[in-house]
Amino acid sequence: MPTLNDVLAGSLAQAVQVQQIIDALKGTPNKGVPVALVSLNDPNNYALTVQNDDPTNSKALSVLKADGTPLVVADATGVTLGAPVNLPANSINGGTAVADGSITNAKLGPDVARANLLVNPGFEWWQRGNGPYTANNAIGPDMWKMQLAGSDTYSLSRDTANVDTGSGACAAVSFTLGTGAGATVLYQGNLGDMVGSLNGVTVSLSMRVRTSVANAVRIGINNYYSSTSHFTYSGYHSGSGAYQTLTVTATLSPAPTVLQWGVFFAASCTAYLDNACLVVGSQAATYVPLHPADDLARCLRYYEAMALAGFPFAGQCTSTTQAFYPYLFKVRKAVTPTMTASAPSTWQGMAANGAGVAATAVTAALGSVSLDGGAMQITTASGLVAGNASVLAPQAGASLVAEGNP
Amino acid sequence: MSVYPTSFNTDNSANAVCDEMGHTGTLTMDQIPYAKNFDDTDNKNSLLMDCPDGCGEVTSTHPVGGGSHPATVQEMFVRKEVSLGVPPQQAIDDVKARVEATDGPGRWQVDEEKLLQELG
């Protein structure tokens, strides 16, 4: 609105002052806002409709507070609200009241962090070594097993040079297609202890994949029931040479007897796999790194190379030539594990005088091992005393590994 | 990183792999003994496998549930019993019962029909 100057009593009105009034009433551009009242109290439309005729703007409404700052502005850029904005209780900014507990999974964006059900989802843990792995059914990165189809071949290694954002390591797979026809898969699954808890549930899997070969790599979910696999696949990586997020969603119904989630290879390629995430719900979620302690604890549930520094286990001699040493795992195993021990020459039992007595034979699991631990037995030529205590003294190269795979 | 069976031959011997050493070879059932209990009796829930090339560097103790390689290890327990004179179906039923007793009903992974055909 232009500034109007008062006309003093007795003064003659000047033409410029009269023109000010005319401009304001006409809505002359730059001398007032050209406003056309379209309707008022129109019973068929709105109580008030105002249209701005200015061809270069669409400034419909500006309501200012006492200090001149905007309270409500409606123009071509949208509706702008000043502060404070008072919305209904239990609502969120955005114009629509949202009641507690009403945001569905389908409304979630992928960057909303959610519980990841995978073991070693970031391919950070390689307790068995960094590879390369080439054998069928070999487990390279913890809990990820390569199952070959037909005459396909592969080589899989830990890689730190081609990782995705926010990752310390990825899995590098050099895959050569034979007669597998796309069925070769690096998978995680056969999780008997998760089957019941996911019966009938919709889950979404995502994984970051990088390859320069189109239609070579995709991910999938296998809901195995009635003695038959039922696969649901993502789309293929485009072959752009950049990391892409592949996603797939499946409902695990009828109730599965075996669950598998994996990466399928359908053409010869080199692929980098990183940062996978399996969540409950129809919307896939972006991978969020687990704390290393949690990440490792999940891996230890299936594979544990026991710490053997110093004198790890205390036991008892049962004869002049034998002693046994009970041990506990750091993490309860998912299934009864296989126990693998290094050669007898890498073990000694401590005699009462503190001298090491070399083992001539070793049993990694005397009797039966359990989900929580077992007992190791060494046999010596002599030097032990029945009933005496003894501690185990691992020598160079000693190893004791618990491995129980689904 | 265990010593484990990958397949079996008609005489029930196991073609085995030692992950740790990268060794392979064949072990007869006589070379895959039951582990011992404290009282020196056989523990029929555990089988011992030495590295198949005889290097003596690695020994694995497999539980009847299968441990590191459930399908082939469970089958190895069946073949062990058969090698000791137990009829195939009885061996399967016995091992399956012990698998499910230790690791639960979903743990059994042997293709029984295929195994029965192979065992005659």
Side-chain angles (χ1 to χ4, degrees), chain B residues 11-29:
Chain B
D11 63 353
N12 286 325
S13 61
N15 301 313
V17 170
C18 172
D19 271 340
E20 186 79 20
M21 308 301 293
H23 294 162
T24 59
T26 301
L27 296 172
T28 66
M29 279 298 150

Side-chain angles (χ1 to χ4, degrees), chain B:
Chain B
M1 305 302 280
S2 57
V3 182
Y4 63 93
T6 57
S7 60
F8 299 91
N9 304 305
T10 53
D11 63 353
N12 286 325
S13 61
N15 301 313
V17 170
C18 172
D19 271 340
E20 186 79 20
M21 308 301 293
H23 294 162
T24 59
T26 301
L27 296 172
T28 66
M29 279 298 150
D30 288 343
Q31 295 171 311
I32 306 173
Y34 287 117
K36 296 294 185 182
N37 293 310
F38 279 90
D39 61 3
D40 209 34
T41 58
D42 285 344
N43 183 324
K44 294 198 172 184
N45 281 338
S46 297
L47 282 172
L48 301 176
M49 291 188 83
D50 289 330
C51 181
D53 85 336
C55 71
E57 294 296 320
V58 182
T59 301
S60 286
T61 306
H62 289 289
V64 68
S68 59
H69 296 78
T72 54
V73 169
Q74 290 168 6
E75 181 175 339
M76 181 167 69
F77 274 84
V78 173
R79 291 180 180 272
K80 178 67 178 179
E81 290 205 2
V82 170
S83 74
L84 297 174
V86 177
Q89 186 62 62
Q90 183 180 333
I92 288 174
D93 294 343
D94 178 47
V95 172
K96 182 178 181 179
R98 285 187 281 128
V99 167
E100 294 184 343
T102 57
D103 282 340
R107 183 62 167 164
W108 179 246
Q109 297 185 20
V110 171
D111 185 336
E112 294 182 33
E113 288 186 19
K114 179 173 177 286
L115 180 55
L116 273 176
Q117 286 181 349
E118 292 178 5
L119 293 175

Side-chain angles (χ1 to χ4, degrees), chain A residues 182-401:
Chain A
T184 287
V185 58
L186 179 68
Y187 76 97
Q188 184 170 125
N190 297 346
L191 300 172
D193 51 355
M194 288 182 70
V195 165
S197 61
L198 293 178
N199 284 354
V201 171
T202 297
V203 295
S204 295
L205 174 68
S206 68
M207 182 179 287
R208 297 282 287 166
V209 177
R210 175 182 154 190
T211 182
S212 58
V213 179
N215 300 322
V217 183
R218 61 179 173 173
I219 64 175
I221 295 173
N222 181 14
N223 180 21
Y224 184 94
Y225 58 86
S226 300
S227 302
T228 307
S229 293
H230 301 84
F231 292 103
T232 305
Y233 298 104
S234 71
Y236 281 104
H237 190 287
S238 71
S240 65
Y243 268 107
Q244 295 178 357
T245 303
L246 304 183
T247 65
V248 59
T249 297
T251 298
L252 305 177
S253 179
T257 53
V258 173
L259 293 171
Q260 294 175 329
W261 357 89
V263 192
F264 293 82
F265 298 87
S268 297
C269 67
T270 295
Y272 301 98
L273 315 174
D274 212 345
N275 294 353
C277 190
L278 177 73
V279 296
V280 171
S282 60
Q283 294 297 309
T286 303
Y287 168 84
V288 175
L290 278 68
H291 187 282
D294 301 328
D295 209 4
L296 176 59
R298 293 190 185 191
C299 298
L300 291 176
R301 180 168 160 79
Y302 306 95
Y303 186 96
E304 180 176 342
M306 304 187 72
L308 296 175
F311 305 96
F313 314 134
Q316 180 178 337
C317 304
T318 53
S319 71
T320 57
T321 59
Q322 285 192 319
F324 73 96
Y325 306 89
Y327 51 78
L328 292 174
F329 303 132
K330 291 183 178 63
V331 175
R332 169 174 276 209
K333 300 294 173 276
V335 294
T336 310
T338 292
M339 297 302 304
T340 300
S342 54
S345 60
T346 62
W347 302 97
Q348 287 186 356
M350 198 72 83
N353 62 359
V357 181
T360 56
V362 60
T363 300
L366 180 62
S368 293
V369 70
S370 75
L371 302 181
D372 296 304
M376 187 171 172
Q377 183 185 56
I378 65 168
T379 301
T380 66
S382 62
L384 302 177
V385 177
N388 275 5
S390 176
V391 292
L392 189 67
Q395 305 299 296
S399 69
L400 181 62
V401 174

